[in-house]
Amino acid sequence: MFKKVLIANRGEIAIRVIRACRDLGLATVAVYSDADRAALHVRLADEAVRLGPAPSSESYLNVAALVDAARRTGADAVHPGYGFLSENAAFAEACAAAGLVFVGPPARAMRELGEKTAARRLAREAGVPTTPGLMQALEDPLELRRQAHDLGVPVVLKAAAGGGGKGMRIVRDEAQLDVLIRSAMGEARGAFGDASLYVEKYLEPARHVEVQFVADTQGRVVWLGERDCSVQRRHQKLIEETPGPGVDERIREQLGDAAVRLARASGYVNAGTAEFLIVNGAFYFLEVNARLQVEHPVTEAVTGIDLVTLQLRIAAGEPLPFVQGDIVRRGHAIECRISAEDPYRDFIPAAGTIGFVREPAGPGVRVDSSLYPGLRVPTEYDPLLSKVIAHGRDRAEALSRMRRALRETVVAGVRTTIPFHQFALEEPDFIAGAYDTDYVSAHWPPAAAALPPETVAAAAIAAVMSRRRHAASAEPADGSSWRRSAREDALR
Ligand code: MV4
C-alpha cells in the first residue's frame, strides 16, 4: 500500500477520498484553486497545495501543476475523484510517467471506453445489446444527417468523445436536424476539443439504470448491483436509488453479467459503472463510466462495501476481498443531490454565500457534504454541495428516512434543489416507483397548489427581499425591470 495520496479534486468527493485514506492510515494531500482557498477539503487534508487561479483549466485540469504538487509533497498515488481529469487517459499516463499510481483504470481501457463508439463496438463484440445506431463517429454533418434520417426520428445526437449527456441533442422533428447537428458539434468541440458525433435511436420512455462493478489486477470482476438514475434534469442526476424499482431479478442478473463482460472485454481494473436503458423489459448498453460515480454511496449502503478504500486497495495491487457469491444486498438506499441550482428557474446555477447550515443525521442517514457556514459557492465548478443518502430495510423505510432527513436540512444563502426533492418524495408516481427518464419534465415545476405552503411562502419572501435589494440599488425608477411578483415566482 502507498503512504501518501494526492486527491486531484475538490468539494464533497475530495472529502470522501480523504476519509477513505484516513481509514487506511494514508496521509493526504489536497489541491485547491484560488476560489477554494477556504474550502473544507483543504482544511481536512494533512497538506494542501495551490494549483492556480479559479478556472478549472488553470487549476483542477492542470496536469503539470497536479503532477508537480504530487512530486513536491512526496505523494505516491493520485485519486482523481469524478469529473475533472478522472477519465483522462493522458493524465493517468502522466501520473505513471512521474512514478505515481493512478487510482483508476489503465489508460488503455480509459481511452477505449472514452471513445463512445469504440465502447459500443466493444459491447457488440462482447455480446451486450446496444441502443440501435452508429458504431462509428462522424465529423461530416451531411453524413450525420443521412444516418439520422435512415434511423428515423426520434434520434439522439451524442458527442463521440463525450458522455454523461454533454453535447447531447434529442431530435424529434427532422426539420431541426441540421441546426441540432451544428449546435451539438459546437458544444462537443468546445467541451472535448473534438466535434465528432454519433447518432442513436432515441428510446423513450426508458429507465436509466447503471451497474457498479469492481475489477482487480488479477483479472477478477464482481458486480455490486444497479442504480436507477432516471430522475435527471439538463442531464444532471437529481435522485438515484438501489435497487431499481423496475428491475426484476432476471434482468438484474443479465445486467450484472453484461457489466462483467464489458469490464473483461476492456481490460478494466478498479471501480467502474456500465450504463443501460431499460425499455419494455429489454436492456440496451449506453456507455461505461471509467471512474467512481457521485452516486456510489447508495451501493455502499446496501452492500456494506466501502468503494473508495476498495479502489485504493485495488490500485495497490490487492486482490478483491470477496467473490460474486459473497455479495449480499440488504434493503434499499436512495440519494438526493443538493446542488446550488434554482429549481424554480429550470435548475440554473445559483450563486451565494452559505449562511446557516443544518445537515441531517440519525438512523439510516448519511451525508457527504462540502458545506460550512460562510462558504462562498464558486460558480466555476459543478454546483453539487452535498448528498443525502437514506438507507432502510425496504424502499418505504428508505423514503421515509429521506423525508425526515430533508425536513431537518437547512441550507441558507443560496437556492438549492431541496424543494424538488421534497416534492418528489411526496409525489405519488415517485412513491410508487413509477418513473422514467421523462419524470422531471413531466412533473416539475408543479402547480403552486401542489407545493408545500412553506415553499410558496419562502419563494414569496425571497422575491420581496430581492426586489427590495434591487429597488435600493440600480433599478430604473419606473420599476420597468423589476422582477416578477412573489406569486408569479411561487408559480414558476
Ligand atoms: C439516451 C436516452 C434515450 N435514448 N440514449 C442521458 C445521459 C446519458 N449518459 C445517456 N442519457 C440518455 N441517453 C438513447 N439512445 C435517454 C437518456 C437519458 C435521459 C434523456 C432525457 C432526459 C432524461 C434522461 C435521464 C436519463 C437518461
Side-chain angles (χ1 to χ4, degrees):
M1 182 54 74
F2 7 84
K3 297 206 159 26
K4 193 187 271 193
V5 180
L6 180 135
I7 297 117
N9 215 300
R10 63 179 301 281
E12 67 86 20
I13 195 58
I15 295 167
R16 171 71 187 88
V17 178
I18 290 168
R19 288 180 170 141
C21 291
R22 281 270 150 72
D23 286 348
L24 291 173
L26 310 177
T28 54
V29 182
V31 292
Y32 61 95
S33 72
D34 288 341
D36 279 339
R37 258 191 306 251
L40 210 45
H41 75 279
V42 173
R43 284 187 266 169
L44 290 176
D46 296 310
E47 303 168 68
V49 178
R50 176 185 177 270
L51 292 173
S56 306
S57 58
E58 296 177 66
S59 51
Y60 300 105
L61 294 174
N62 185 340
V63 172
L66 286 159
V67 171
D68 193 50
R71 191 187 49 72
R72 280 179 7 232
T73 54
D76 44 10
V78 174
H79 194 302
Y82 52 68
F84 294 124
L85 294 167
S86 60
E87 296 181 89
N88 188 307
F91 180 56
E93 282 164 347
C95 288
L100 302 161
V101 176
F102 177 81
V103 183
R108 220 185 98 78
M110 258 198 285
R111 204 160 260 135
E112 177 149 32
L113 296 168
E115 207 288 86
K116 298 302 171 182
T117 63
R120 284 166 61 74
R121 295 192 294 276
L122 190 117
R124 185 177 57 188
E125 283 150 30
V128 174
T130 63
T131 47
L134 288 189
M135 291 291 174
Q136 213 71 53
L138 294 175
E139 286 179 288
D140 174 7
L142 295 175
E143 182 61 15
L144 272 162
R145 186 173 69 180
R146 211 176 61 77
Q147 296 286 349
H149 172 83
D150 289 353
L151 270 174
V153 289
V155 296
V156 54
L157 306 164
K158 297 184 179 185
K166 220 179 259 160
M168 182 168 142
R169 296 287 184 283
I170 299 164
V171 186
R172 296 177 186 283
D173 174 2
E174 221 182 299
Q176 294 211 287
L177 198 49
D178 284 333
V179 169
L180 291 172
I181 288 170
R182 232 174 292 276
S183 75
M185 284 191 142
E187 191 174 327
R189 188 181 293 107
F192 313 110
D194 178 353
S196 57
L197 303 180
Y198 63 111
V199 55
E200 295 177 358
K201 190 80 187 169
Y202 183 67
L203 303 178
E204 69 174 340
R207 289 190 188 256
H208 185 236
V209 172
E210 59 186 30
V211 177
Q212 178 73 57
F213 60 85
V214 285
D216 66 17
T217 51
Q218 282 88 48
R220 277 178 286 250
V221 185
V222 172
W223 63 278
L224 301 175
E226 81 285 2
R227 301 182 284 255
D228 189 312
C229 304
S230 302
V231 181
Q232 304 190 10
R233 183 70 188 161
R234 298 161 153 254
H235 307 304
Q236 292 288 343
K237 292 167 187 165
L238 286 157
I239 302 179
E240 308 94 350
E241 64 176 307
T242 186
V247 181
D248 63 33
E249 203 50 51
R250 185 190 58 89
I251 202 157
R252 176 173 298 114
E253 292 292 330
Q254 290 179 11
L255 289 169
D257 182 63
V260 169
R261 273 182 288 145
L262 288 160
R264 290 194 191 289
S266 59
Y268 205 95
V269 178
N270 219 286
T273 301
E275 289 191 359
F276 302 90
L277 288 176
I278 301 183
V279 187
N280 296 325
F283 69 87
Y284 305 90
F285 169 71
L286 285 175
E287 59 181 293
V288 172
N289 298 319
R291 59 163 194 277
L292 182 71
Q293 294 205 224
V294 176
E295 57 272 25
H296 75 277
V298 295
T299 300
E300 295 186 320
V302 301
T303 61
I305 294 166
D306 180 329
L307 283 166
V308 185
T309 57
L310 185 56
Q311 283 193 295
L312 292 159
R313 290 184 188 282
I314 291 170
E318 295 182 24
L320 290 178
F322 45 70
V323 295
Q324 191 65 55
D326 295 331
I327 304 303
V328 180
R329 292 183 305 274
R330 193 179 61 83
H332 198 102
I334 177 168
E335 172 178 277
C336 289
R337 295 190 188 191
I338 299 179
S339 294
E341 292 174 352
D342 187 343
Y344 300 108
R345 302 242 193 295
D346 202 23
F347 295 90
I348 56 165
T353 299
I354 303 299
F356 185 77
V357 183
R358 180 168 62 220
E359 297 197 278
V365 171
R366 163 178 169 180
V367 179
D368 280 20
S369 171
S370 57
L371 284 169
Y372 65 90
L375 167 68
R376 268 190 297 227
V377 178
T379 48
E380 281 88 354
Y381 316 114
D382 186 280
L384 183 66
L385 300 171
S386 168
K387 309 181 307 207
V388 179
I389 302 100
H391 182 214
R393 281 164 301 182
D394 52 25
R395 189 168 186 268
E397 187 174 61
L399 264 53
S400 179
R401 285 175 162 168
M402 180 61 83
R403 276 184 214 106
R404 180 244 299 167
L406 291 171
R407 277 183 72 146
E408 290 178 18
T409 307
V410 180
V411 180
V414 65
R415 293 274 185 124
T416 74
T417 47
I418 293 171
F420 170 80
H421 295 309
Q422 286 176 319
F423 164 83
L425 270 289
E426 300 288 350
E427 193 281 314
D429 287 344
F430 186 82
I431 291 170
Y435 64 82
D436 56 38
T437 50
D438 279 340
Y439 182 78
V440 182
S441 60
H443 289 82
W444 186 266
L451 290 170
E454 58 270 27
T455 302
V456 178
I461 292 164
V464 169
M465 288 180 72
S466 106
R467 174 180 305 197
R468 232 188 252 157
R469 203 161 53 229
H470 285 268
S473 57
E475 295 290 292
D478 68 355
S480 57
S481 76
W482 278 19
R483 307 265 302 275
R484 271 181 295 276
S485 72
R487 178 162 170 78
E488 283 169 314
D489 264 8
L491 284 163
R492 290 187 66 79

